[in-house]
Amino acid sequence: MERKKYIQKIIFSSCIAATYAGLTYLSGFFGLAYLGLQFRISEVLTILPVFSPSAIWGLVIGCFLGNIASFNPIDMVFGTLATLISAILTYLLRNIKIKGIPLLSLICPVIINALIISFELSFFFSGASQSFIVYFLTVAVGEAVVCLGLGIPFYILLNKHKEIFDFLSLT
C-alpha cells in the first residue's frame, strides 16, 4: 500500500509540473511570463501546497521547466528557488486562515517572487536602468493579480472538493 501512495504522489506532482510549465508557456506566448511585469497564469497553482505537500515538488519542477523558455540559466536558478521557498512557506502557513481563506499562504508567492525576481532582474539584467523598487512593485502587482485575484476563487473551488486529495492519499 505504501508503494501505491508513493506512486500517486509522483503522478500528482508530475501533473502539477506539466500543468505549471504548460500554463507558463501559454503566458509566455502572450508576453506575460518573463521580465518585470509578469502575469503567469501558472502561479494560481501555488495554492496547491495548502492541500498537499506533494504539490511542492510539482511546482518547483514545473517552474524550472517553465523557465527554460526564458533561455536564461540565472532565471532557471533564481525563479526556481523563489518557487521552492514560496511553496514551502505556503505549506507551513496553510492553517492560518482569515475568514476561512489561507491568505498568508496566498501572499507568500507574491512577496518571495517580488523579492527574488526583483533582485535577479535589477542585479543581473538591468544594471542601473531600473531600480530594485520598480521591479519589486511590477513583479508584486502581477503576482498579486494572479495569486489573489485568481487564487482565492481557485482555493474556494478546491476546498469544496478537498476529498479528492484525501481520496488520493495526498494529504
Side-chain angles (χ1 to χ4, degrees):
M1 191 59 144
E2 188 64 33
R3 182 178 165 99
K4 181 182 175 183
K5 286 182 183 181
Y6 180 72
I7 291 170
Q8 286 175 328
K9 289 177 181 183
I10 289 175
I11 292 170
F12 178 69
S13 293
S14 299
C15 289
I16 292 170
T19 304
Y20 187 100
L23 289 172
T24 299
Y25 295 146
L26 179 64
S27 298
F29 180 76
F30 294 101
L32 300 172
Y34 309 101
L35 299 176
L37 190 57
Q38 300 180 9
F39 292 95
R40 285 187 179 190
I41 301 165
S42 52
E43 288 292 301
V44 74
L45 300 175
T46 60
I47 193 62
L48 293 176
V50 166
F51 298 99
S52 172
S54 299
I56 294 170
W57 289 112
L59 291 170
V60 171
I61 293 166
C63 180
F64 179 79
L65 294 172
N67 284 344
I68 288 174
S70 72
F71 303 108
N72 186 332
I74 294 169
D75 192 35
M76 288 179 221
V77 171
F78 282 95
T80 304
L81 176 65
T83 298
L84 175 62
I85 294 168
S86 296
I88 290 169
L89 289 173
T90 296
Y91 175 73
L92 293 174
L93 298 172
R94 70 191 181 282
N95 293 322
I96 302 172
K97 297 180 181 177
I98 300 168
K99 295 189 178 186
I101 307 287
L103 284 177
L104 292 178
S105 290
L106 287 162
I107 292 171
C108 286
V110 175
I111 295 169
I112 300 301
N113 277 298
L115 287 169
I116 292 176
I117 303 306
S118 304
F119 170 77
E120 172 193 340
L121 291 170
S122 62
F123 185 77
F124 291 108
F125 300 112
S126 38
S129 66
Q130 291 249 354
S131 73
F132 173 83
I133 298 298
V134 171
Y135 279 128
F136 181 88
L137 293 173
T138 58
V139 171
V141 166
E143 284 285 319
V145 166
V146 176
C147 291
L148 298 172
L150 297 177
I152 291 172
F154 188 52
Y155 169 79
I156 292 168
L157 176 69
L158 290 176
N159 198 42
K160 285 183 182 176
H161 302 286
K162 64 183 172 189
E163 66 275 358
I164 294 169
F165 297 99
D166 296 332
F167 171 73
L168 294 173
S169 303
L170 295 170
T171 54

